[in-house]
Amino acid sequence: MTRFRLRKKEVFIKARSKEYEKRIVDYLYLNEDTQELNSSQQEFIGKLKLSLKKSLDRRIFITALLKLKGEVSGDMVGVINQLYKELGLDKQAMSKLHSKRWHIVAIGIRDLRRFKVFDAQNEVAKCINHSKMEVRRQAYLYFINLFGFKGLDFLDDLTSTISIWDQIGILDALQGVKLEGVPKAQKWLRSKNDYVILLALELVKVYNLRETQKELLHLIQHRNKEIRLKTIRVLSYLYIAEAKQELIDAYENLNVKEQIAVFELLENIGAREEKPFVLKHISSKVFEIKVLALKILKQIDTPKFVGLKNEIDVLANLKVFNYLENNP
């Protein structure tokens, strides 16, 4: 009996989908030569509304709309978005944002995003700190897809977490945004939300935002070790030479991962002026630091590097020395 009902429902959905697809195509042709609704179009919309009173019919219709939206381009996309609004489906999607069921809220935001409902931004903004990650994710995507870099302003009020996957999703969504108006990330690097800072550091790296130098140098002293480490790596990536002395001054207060990152920065940027600091660490107990210090010394003072070969007791690892001597 259950299988029969499911089969019957499947047949109904398939038939209804074809019906709706045909009706949408008819509407698109009615709209071909005009930007405003004429009496025929208004009558067409009135009949469609009557057929969408049941939630299943609305779901089938929206699926059909999305399918055709993926097959058309140019002005036709705008016509489909407008039809969605003329049928009042945007209002129904907005009403879902007040549901007590989180998945209904997520679906509502998703549909508002897909059909470019710009005037829902104030309601969607109330969901950026929702308890469910899936709802927050849809809110992030809504703002980015509809407003581009300007949409990142939701970070100003974000108090919740941003997962690694959400970071990837946000950066991926931004790839389709025109580079005009690249975000000013300084305010997010000063955020009280560590997750916002970590995302901002990714933005700084991806968009080469060197104007954030002051904020980056300040983050070297941040309480969060993940932020400190990521900051050092971003400073290295951006070749910010002013970071060298700041990092040397803070070196003893950094953990081992951060200290290794400091030497990676010195290797990347150049450390001729930092030779005394480099020499101080060629006998470090941390293997990675010892190797990096020797590599840097070889770059900035080859004679000194070669001369140290006889001081095996200081270097404590002749194999490492020989490897560095024979490799660029």
Side-chain angles (χ1 to χ4, degrees):
M1 195 69 179
T2 302
R3 185 178 298 177
F4 173 76
R5 285 199 299 269
L6 289 173
R7 177 60 183 161
K8 186 177 179 181
K9 184 177 180 180
E10 183 182 332
V11 171
F12 172 80
I13 291 174
K14 190 173 182 179
R16 188 71 97 191
S17 295
K18 287 185 177 180
E19 176 193 339
Y20 282 142
E21 285 177 24
K22 182 180 181 305
R23 293 173 77 174
I24 295 166
V25 170
D26 289 343
Y27 180 82
L28 292 178
Y29 280 117
L30 283 174
N31 253 281
E32 204 168 24
D33 299 317
T34 178
Q35 295 295 320
E36 296 184 3
L37 293 179
N38 55 39
S39 57
S40 298
Q41 293 164 339
Q42 290 173 346
E43 182 181 353
F44 188 98
I45 288 172
K47 290 180 179 178
L48 259 181
K49 278 185 177 179
L50 290 174
S51 73
L52 297 177
K53 288 189 175 181
K54 295 181 179 178
S55 60
L56 178 58
D57 286 320
R58 289 196 297 272
R59 288 201 300 271
I60 296 170
F61 181 79
I62 289 172
T63 300
L65 266 184
L66 288 169
K67 179 183 175 183
L68 289 173
K69 191 176 178 183
E71 296 173 356
V72 300
S73 59
D75 293 340
M76 287 297 188
V77 174
V79 173
I80 288 177
N81 290 339
Q82 188 58 37
L83 175 60
Y84 179 82
K85 295 176 185 176
E86 293 291 345
L87 291 168
L89 295 174
D90 58 330
K91 301 290 190 298
Q92 291 186 19
M94 287 178 69
S95 70
K96 290 178 181 178
L97 272 55
H98 303 287
S99 173
K100 293 181 179 179
R101 293 178 291 174
W102 67 263
H103 69 281
I104 297 297
V105 178
I107 289 171
I109 300 173
R110 181 200 64 189
D111 287 348
L112 292 168
R113 169 174 60 84
R114 286 174 168 177
F115 292 101
K116 307 292 184 186
V117 183
F118 289 88
D119 54 6
Q121 59 179 305
N122 290 336
E123 290 301 312
V124 176
K126 297 174 184 177
C127 299
I128 62 169
N129 290 306
H130 196 278
S131 59
K132 284 291 183 179
M133 180 181 66
E134 291 83 355
V135 174
R136 299 198 301 270
R137 183 175 298 145
Q138 287 299 329
Y140 304 161
L141 292 176
Y142 169 88
F143 283 108
I144 294 169
N145 287 168
L146 270 62
F147 301 99
F149 288 115
K150 179 64 179 172
L152 287 172
D153 284 348
F154 74 80
L155 294 172
D156 296 353
D157 303 311
L158 191 69
T159 58
S160 56
T161 63
I162 304 175
S163 71
I164 293 295
W165 290 113
D166 282 335
Q167 274 194 27
I168 294 171
I170 289 170
L171 293 170
D172 185 58
L174 287 170
Q175 285 185 358
V177 176
K178 292 182 180 178
L179 285 180
E180 302 149 1
V182 171
K184 302 293 184 185
Q186 288 93 330
K187 59 180 178 178
W188 300 320
L189 291 172
R190 296 191 296 264
S191 174
K192 293 180 180 179
N193 186 335
D194 289 359
Y195 295 95
V196 171
I197 296 175
L198 289 168
L199 175 61
L201 285 168
E202 285 294 331
L203 293 171
V204 169
K205 181 179 178 181
V206 171
Y207 297 102
N208 293 302
L209 304 179
R210 290 182 59 86
E211 64 272 20
T212 61
Q213 176 178 313
K214 179 181 176 182
E215 286 74 20
L216 291 174
L217 294 176
H218 184 71
L219 287 176
I220 292 171
Q221 307 288 343
H222 199 276
R223 67 187 185 283
N224 185 315
K225 61 183 180 181
E226 186 180 355
I227 288 175
R228 293 196 304 268
L229 180 59
K230 197 164 188 175
T231 298
I232 296 168
R233 289 173 175 168
V234 170
L235 287 165
S236 178
Y237 180 83
L238 295 178
Y239 290 91
I240 296 180
E242 291 82 356
K244 292 191 290 184
Q245 191 56 53
E246 294 262 1
L247 289 168
I248 288 171
D249 292 343
Y251 186 84
E252 296 303 327
N253 295 320
L254 302 177
N255 63 38
V256 172
K257 280 188 177 180
E258 293 158 8
Q259 290 177 343
I260 292 170
V262 170
F263 273 91
E264 289 171 342
L265 178 144
L266 293 175
E267 180 190 15
N268 186 39
I269 295 178
R272 188 170 296 278
E273 300 86 355
E274 289 74 38
K275 180 179 170 181
F277 175 77
V278 173
L279 284 169
K280 182 180 175 182
H281 292 89
I282 59 173
S283 57
S284 173
K285 293 180 181 179
V286 180
F287 179 77
E288 292 91 339
I289 292 176
K290 178 193 298 185
V291 172
L292 285 165
L294 287 169
K295 285 177 73 175
I296 294 168
L297 182 62
K298 183 183 176 185
Q299 290 175 0
I300 63 177
D301 191 343
T302 303
K304 180 67 174 177
F305 172 81
V306 173
L308 283 173
K309 186 173 182 179
N310 296 323
E311 300 179 28
I312 305 302
D313 57 324
V314 176
L315 298 175
N317 197 323
L318 182 58
K319 287 183 179 180
V320 172
F321 187 91
N322 287 335
Y323 173 80
L324 291 173
E325 189 176 35
N326 294 302
N327 289 274

